[in-house]
Amino acid sequence: MHDSDTENDEGLRDFVREVVRADLDAGRTQSVVTRFPPEPNGYLHIGHAKSICLNFGVAEEFGGRCNLRFDDTNPTKEEQEYIDSIQEDVRWLGFDWGEHLYFASDNFEKLYEWAVHLISNGKAYVDDLSAEEIRNYRGTLTEPGKDSPFRDRPTDESLDLFARMRAGEFEEGARVLRAKIDMASGNINMRDPVIYRILHASHPRTGDSWHIYPTYDFAHGQSDAIEGVTHSICTLEFEDHRPLYDWLVENLPVPSRPRQYEFARLNLSHTVLSKRRLIQFVEEKHVSGWDDPRMPTLSGLRRRGIPPEALRDFAKRIGVTKNDSVVEMSLLEHCVREHLNKTADRRMAVLNPLKVVIENYPEGSSEELDAINNPEDDDAGSRKVPFSRELYIEREDFMEDPPKKFFRLAPGREVRLRYAYFLTCTDVVKDDAGEIVELRCNYDPATKGGTAPDGRKVKATLHWVSAAHSIPAEVRLYDYLFTRADPGADGDILDDLNPDSLTLLDGCRVEPSLADSKTSGTIQFERQGYFCIDRDSTADELVFNRTVALRDTWAKIQAKSG
Ligand code: ATP
Ligand code: MG
């Protein structure tokens, strides 16, 4: 399906794929069915991308299918906005669930019927203990739990109470339905887990028709079974829930018998992958929204200019294991640079402009020079860039009194202007405060295209834009959202927010082709990094987000100071 990914596809081997292959080979599974089961209580983040790539990837590789299922069993936190954004994000990442879009809420009637089935068979009971009492009765890791005084209430009484719970007769928290398993089990999840609770909340899909909602554990496995999921792949924190998953499948007349497998979740340095935290940052306005380019959400990464191919490549490189670990953010950046180096068109942009006047270039005239779009891709072709007597170069590309290793422009020194001519600085113009405001230069008309007929060399090539033809832009530079690799590890996570995570550069000048609507996707500003146009752009000013710098300056600075 993804042509650009095929180079890595051969090598994909991990324990999940081994299980699936073995099940297919042994005929235990005819056709693999997986699912990606988000709860619509927030936007997806890059951790979810790992799960999406695994579930959809396995289905694709083994000729099966992957369902998108919303685990929408907690109406107090779920919203249509999240349902919509999740679908958009999964599609953007490059996956398609076809007809197979499901909602746990579509199964509410069936789940209710199965809960009644459990009660009727003496395997569930209505409990009147409060949430706190249930907790106290549950015991600890070292002590067994105690039976609830309601555990042996007659079946008919439980059936009656459960029906009345459904009808909305009781307050929230007044009663719950519990599976009757084993209060002495070594696994706390098996100590009569709650499978239904009363919630007088309006649901995004079922409205006000329910007053009771199934818990995750009750809804999840049964939804898997209804959908015919063969391999229910989830993260390690559900390992201890597997006995309950299996118990429910055993004790209910479900149409299929899915099995659960657990893998280690993605942890990424310098950020947090938890919807609860991400919601907090949005609500407390530490970021501009879910799609703030500093957020690890898929919508944030997209707005940042990170291509989905790079995320899929990242998912492949980190692999799938059962060992918890933290992946360095620099690996993600590496994947992004690798992909963009091959695919991104090059453009010239001056972020901190210094005016250059070429005194021997005829006043009032200009010309169009050929510039290569992508040296890594011959098919990308070339474009015209206007050149004239007045240009902007990067302020940091000039030094009046350069130290030894500075090879760029300086008084009396010759450099190359990319795709244009050799240029020599003849004079420096300053304002009253002594600040350099302009350079006077000469160019050599014989060096058009950037080579001298007499073979003389220069040590630097600078990017530039024509002053009159260039267009103004604001550029947003992003750094890590947190100053430490493990935010929150040593106290309040908010104390670790990076105060310099966003730097706004105003008054930048970019080459005119960037106003062209054909310029889309992420591009490379030569010598600077990768950037994409932000939706905050207006007719008067383009706004660019820096996706990633060309090299990892952060890691270098840290290496030096540490
Ligand atoms: P969060 O912890 O961010 O709130 P969640 O697990 O509650 O996430 P769900 O909507 O339940 O979010 O997740 C959908 C699927 O994505 C689940 O199967 C879950 O295991 C998986 N998933 C969530 N976070 C990660 C992660 N960091 N790495 C890999 N898979 C993840
Ligand atoms: Mg969850």
Side-chain angles (χ1 to χ4, degrees), residues 37-39 41 48 71 216 235 237-238 265 275:
E39 186 184 349
N41 61 351
H48 296 114
D71 255 340
Y216 169 87
T235 35
E237 65 270 26
F238 292 103
R265 62 195 293 116
K275 279 185 279 187

Side-chain angles (χ1 to χ4, degrees), residues 143-210:
E143 277 170 55
K146 274 192 306 181
D147 285 2
S148 161
F150 301 95
R151 194 173 201 259
D152 291 316
R153 100 188 317 162
T155 298
D156 286 347
E157 197 177 304
S158 278
L159 285 173
D160 174 60
L161 287 169
F162 189 50
R164 288 164 60 195
M165 281 165 65
R166 174 180 184 166
E169 278 188 39
F170 310 118
E171 310 249 296
E172 285 187 12
R175 301 194 152 79
V176 292
L177 183 69
R178 299 177 71 175
K180 197 188 229 176
I181 308 180
D182 178 7
M183 288 307 290
S185 172
N187 182 336
I188 292 182
N189 293 301
M190 298 298 272
R191 294 183 190 168
D192 293 10
V194 172
I195 57 175
Y196 264 92
R197 69 262 196 240
I198 299 170
L199 282 177
H200 300 295
S202 196
H203 186 283
R205 289 176 59 84
T206 58
D208 296 320
S209 51
W210 289 89

